[in-house]
Amino acid sequence: MARHGSPQAGRKTSTSTGSPDLVAWRFPVVRRILEPWLAVYYAIPVFALFPMLVIMVGLGLAPIVILGALWAVVAVITSTIDGLDSVPPLLLKLGAALRLSRVQQVTRVLVPAALRHIGIGLKLALTFSVIGVLASEFILSTYGLGHFIADAHQRFVIRALTQASRSWCC
């Protein structure tokens, strides 16, 4: 009934933003350029881009996955940057005192210290990508859980709606 791979593909696409997050955190100029764009991105409804995605990519699974990733990517970026901001400066000084290379500082100091925030961002990314995929299946798809719910809603089949919500939630 549902294509459970679509939200996972959206989340996996959005989690590949790790290195731009580090660049934005490390260089204040990049961060000052990126932060207003992220704020504007939160303000614009992502579904406004949906017709353009269909024109550029075509019908099928691709625009649904892209839309799921677009919903999730900002949560990953902002939570990772917040997590890197929460790393105590003492840990960075300790890494410098131990003469760790930049890669070692990232893998042994920064990422473990920011892991709680990164995990929160990944949870939000999964949630947002599921919402994006289901909402786009309402509009575009001819199969999947979103299409099934929209079809049951249009035909007033309440039993099917409750079964769909139970199968997805429980």
Side-chain angles (χ1 to χ4, degrees), residues 6-124:
S6 300
Q8 289 294 329
R11 184 192 55 82
K12 288 177 183 176
T13 306
S14 69
T15 56
S16 63
T17 62
S19 54
D21 296 346
L22 288 171
V23 170
W25 177 77
R26 179 72 73 183
F27 301 106
V29 174
V30 175
R31 187 173 183 168
R32 282 194 302 264
I33 292 170
L34 187 63
E35 279 181 344
W37 286 101
L38 291 175
V40 168
Y41 182 78
Y42 262 134
I44 295 173
V46 178
F47 282 108
L49 304 173
F50 198 67
M52 192 169 40
L53 278 174
V54 171
I55 291 170
M56 290 172 32
V57 182
L59 297 173
L61 187 62
I64 294 172
V65 170
I66 291 171
L67 194 67
L70 286 175
W71 270 52
V73 71
V74 178
V76 173
I77 291 172
T78 55
S79 65
T80 302
I81 290 175
D82 287 343
L84 293 173
D85 284 342
S86 71
V87 174
L90 184 62
L91 289 178
L92 298 174
K93 289 180 183 177
L94 178 64
L98 293 173
R99 296 183 181 162
L100 298 177
S101 68
R102 290 201 187 260
V103 173
Q104 288 175 328
Q105 280 186 346
V106 168
T107 58
R108 295 183 182 175
V109 177
L110 288 174
V111 171
L115 198 58
R116 184 172 59 104
H117 290 276
I118 294 170
I120 291 169
L122 293 176
K123 288 178 187 177
L124 286 172

